[in-house]
């Protein structure tokens, strides 16, 4: 059974990262089970493995943290729900692509429960919505898998 944990207030990124790494190690050692961690961060950017310094227009506004997850830069801040699944993929087929696709479907289903129509866009990771101003990314996904245990996850703009 997967544990669900929701943290109140704003969680500093280094604290969340230490927690994720600790949980991933415990899952790998089979001393803890899967967990979904929900939280909010104070304003910050995380830099994924594809992030390029030139892409960040103003690195002085908020702190920037190297994350080790996939993707580019992602803003996190109040009002944005961050979801960090710690999942043992050894028990789920060791398929990272299928895991990311499952996250996308989960986000779309959750948004639908709130009357928001999320959609995938061909060739792009994440979930998108149509607005009067055009399309907008409502959810970003950036994962890391270490020893077949997931870390990092997704951010949904509320």
């Amino acid at each position: 059974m997967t544990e669900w944990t929701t943290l109140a207030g704003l969680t500093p990124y280094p604290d969340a990262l230490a927690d994720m790494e600790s949980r991933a190690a415990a899952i790998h050692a089979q001393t803890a089970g899967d967990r979904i961690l929900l939280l909010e961060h104070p304003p910050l950017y995380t830099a994924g493995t594809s992030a390029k310094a030139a892409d960040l227009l103003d690195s002085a506004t908020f702190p920037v943290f190297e994350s080790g997850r996939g993707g580019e830069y992602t803003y996190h801040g109040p009002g944005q729900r961050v979801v960090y699944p710690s999942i043992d993929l050894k028990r789920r087929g060791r398929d990272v692509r299928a895991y990311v696709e499952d996250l996308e479907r989960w986000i779309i289903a959750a948004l639908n429960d709130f009357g928001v129509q999320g959609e995938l866009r061909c060739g792009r990771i994440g979930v998108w919505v149509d607005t009067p101003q055009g399309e907008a990314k409502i959810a970003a996904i950036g994962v890391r898998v270490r020893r077949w245990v997931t870390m990092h996850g997704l951010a949904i703009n509320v």
Side-chain angles (χ1 to χ4, degrees):
M1 182 161 182
T2 302
E3 173 188 340
W4 287 74
T5 302
T6 302
L7 300 181
L10 300 178
T11 303
Y13 183 76
D15 295 353
L17 182 59
D19 181 82
M20 278 188 282
E21 289 177 350
S22 174
R23 186 62 174 232
I27 291 170
H28 179 72
Q30 298 182 345
T31 59
D34 293 348
R35 179 189 64 185
I36 308 295
L37 178 62
L38 300 123
L39 56 82
E40 291 182 60
H41 287 302
L44 59 92
Y45 291 109
T46 57
T49 56
S50 299
K52 297 175 186 71
D55 291 340
L56 191 59
L57 301 177
D58 185 4
S59 61
T61 302
F62 304 120
V64 179
F65 295 94
E66 299 291 326
S67 68
R69 60 152 173 80
E72 298 177 359
Y73 287 104
T74 300
Y75 168 80
H76 296 295
Q80 180 189 65
R81 179 58 72 185
V82 179
V83 184
Y84 291 136
S86 297
I87 305 291
D88 185 351
L89 291 182
K90 290 188 301 286
R91 294 182 292 144
R92 291 179 172 80
R94 297 180 190 226
D95 189 335
V96 177
R97 182 179 305 267
Y99 170 68
V100 171
E101 290 171 354
D102 286 345
L103 289 176
E104 290 172 328
R105 283 190 291 273
W106 179 76
I107 294 165
I108 290 169
L111 290 172
N112 191 55
D113 286 347
F114 292 96
V116 176
Q117 183 178 350
E119 300 175 348
L120 303 180
R121 297 290 192 251
C122 186
R124 295 189 276 172
I125 299 294
V127 176
W128 304 79
V129 293
D130 290 324
T131 72
Q133 296 78 29
E135 72 174 6
K137 192 174 196 177
I138 193 166
I141 299 174
V143 300
R144 180 174 185 177
V145 178
R146 181 186 302 151
R147 298 183 295 195
W148 293 108
V149 178
T150 67
M151 296 189 344
H152 303 281
L154 57 109
I156 301 174
N157 298 318
V158 177

